[in-house]
Amino acid sequence: MGYSAISEDRPPRVTLHSHAELRVLAANAGGQMPEERFRPGVGELRVALGVGEDDTLECWLLVDRSGSVLFDRDELQQVQLAWHFASFDSERDRIGVLGFSGFGDYVNLFEFKTPLNSADRAMLLVADCGGGGTPTAEAITYAARMLESSPAEHKLVVVVTDAPANDTAQCAHAVREATGEGVRVIGVLKPESRHQHPGANDSAFMAEQFGTDWLEVDSYTQIPHALLEHLANMPGPGPSEQRLRHPTSESHFPGHDDRLIATAADALLALGDKPADEFSERTLDASDPRLRTLAHYLRIRREELRTHGDELLAAALKSAGAR
């Protein structure tokens, strides 16, 4: 197997199992293509994304193949979901399917299907690949790099996972980088069925990784419809519009409402750590997206002050003296 460097500032540590290699391995694999097809299909997805009649769409489905997913009672549904997306190809639209698992020096990316290949026997290996941790950042970075050279007007990455990434901060950075290159990244949380953790705040890590652009489902079969509903509520920018910044990508917001959010966060910080902590924990999963943004901004701002407090103060004094 070959290796693909995800970051230029560290040695290659990600093993890419290419589509061509998996196709060879699947040549004699048992099984057959699932007959069930989830609905809706690519036509409805194009409409929900606002893809024009003459425009093209390229989408990568990233499926979490960590150990918890492999032993989940709904694992077969995830395999069928991958098949569903794999069947989306048309003369214009391209869909890729990438599995991810592992951690440290054992991160594996399984390229079950590339955008230029229709669904084929390589997809039969989806159920047999995976195990280990959840390297979401590496998967997003790889998909974004694949999309860099795509001529498509609309570029989308859909990440289906059941747990936090191995490194949530690294994942948030990968999302910001992709967004900055015009690639929309949507997170889909399907909580693990077998080992639910009472009181677990799943929304906290999803918000940290994906900002407000994520949704939660109870089963994989809900994802196609839930994705369309999410896109209806958060349509996002068009291909020629300026991309929205990820909530963790900057410390201040340009709009009027965003300035109010920043002012409110600074006021909460002035009250001390305890009030700021309580507010952040209570509102990270609020229904109002502005409250979620405030909670997330507050969390990031506090981390900045803890790690770079002296630097931020010096920069503020320098800026004030230059005015």
Side-chain angles (χ1 to χ4, degrees):
M1 299 291 182
Y3 289 89
S4 173
I6 295 300
S7 175
E8 296 179 356
D9 59 359
R10 65 169 182 259
R13 66 185 185 92
V14 177
T15 302
L16 173 64
H17 303 269
S18 72
H19 174 268
E21 291 168 327
L22 292 180
R23 186 173 182 179
V24 171
L25 292 174
N28 298 315
Q32 58 185 3
M33 186 174 77
E35 294 181 0
E36 180 181 359
R37 281 286 181 266
F38 298 162
R39 293 290 183 265
V42 66
E44 292 87 347
L45 180 61
R46 286 175 58 89
V47 172
L49 286 168
V51 181
E53 184 177 350
D54 298 325
D55 291 343
T56 57
L57 164 68
E58 183 162 335
C59 170
W60 277 86
L61 174 70
L62 309 186
V63 292
D64 179 357
R65 300 297 299 162
S66 58
S68 58
V69 174
L70 265 62
F71 295 102
D72 197 327
R73 68 186 65 170
D74 294 329
E75 194 268 345
L76 179 59
Q77 286 188 0
Q78 191 198 63
V79 175
Q80 292 174 327
L81 176 69
W83 271 104
H84 173 65
F85 271 79
S87 69
F88 276 7
D89 263 347
S90 67
E91 293 182 358
R92 294 178 300 183
D93 306 311
R94 306 295 185 184
I95 309 294
V97 179
L98 186 78
F100 58 96
S101 67
F103 47 83
D105 293 327
Y106 302 96
V107 168
N108 292 288
L109 303 182
F110 302 94
E111 200 175 60
F112 298 120
K113 177 184 178 298
T114 66
L116 300 179
N117 293 95
S118 59
D120 59 25
R121 294 188 63 84
M123 294 293 296
L124 294 174
L125 294 178
V126 175
D128 300 323
C129 296
T134 312
T136 315
E138 287 85 347
I140 292 173
T141 299
Y142 178 77
R145 287 186 175 180
M146 291 292 287
L147 284 164
E148 281 182 4
S149 59
S150 171
E153 289 83 3
H154 295 258
K155 302 176 182 181
L156 173 67
V157 173
V158 178
V159 185
V160 180
T161 185
D162 73 339
N166 293 341
D167 187 329
T168 54
Q170 183 186 356
C171 180
H173 177 74
V175 172
R176 292 197 301 271
E177 290 292 310
T179 302
E181 295 299 323
V183 178
R184 183 171 182 180
V185 182
I186 299 177
V188 180
L189 172 67
K190 192 287 178 184
E192 184 184 353
S193 298
R194 299 177 66 221
H195 303 291
Q196 293 289 349
H197 303 287
N201 187 2
D202 293 332
S203 61
F205 74 78
M206 290 298 287
E208 182 176 353
Q209 295 175 177
F210 301 101
T212 58
D213 211 356
W214 67 277
L215 60 142
E216 182 174 348
V217 295
D218 295 324
S219 70
Y220 295 107
T221 57
Q222 295 178 353
I223 291 177
H225 284 285
L227 180 59
L228 295 191
E229 183 176 346
H230 176 78
L231 290 171
N233 294 327
M234 295 187 64
S240 60
E241 297 174 9
Q242 182 178 359
R243 292 280 168 177
L244 296 176
R245 300 289 291 179
H246 190 274
T248 63
S249 63
E250 52 186 339
S251 299
H252 24 199
F253 302 83
H256 173 69
D257 289 343
D258 295 332
R259 287 198 299 272
L260 291 178
I261 288 175
T263 301
D266 288 339
L268 284 166
L269 286 169
L271 294 176
D273 284 348
K274 186 174 181 180
D277 276 336
E278 290 181 354
F279 177 85
S280 183
E281 289 300 320
R282 290 182 180 182
T283 53
L284 271 173
D285 57 353
S287 58
D288 190 329
R290 291 171 298 181
L291 285 177
R292 293 199 302 270
T293 300
L294 174 56
H296 193 66
Y297 173 81
L298 181 62
R299 183 175 180 178
I300 297 301
R301 182 64 171 163
R302 291 184 68 238
E303 287 300 319
E304 288 179 342
L305 291 174
R306 284 174 178 171
T307 57
H308 305 291
D310 293 340
E311 295 176 16
L312 291 174
L313 177 60
L317 291 174
K318 181 178 180 180
S319 176
R323 293 177 181 176

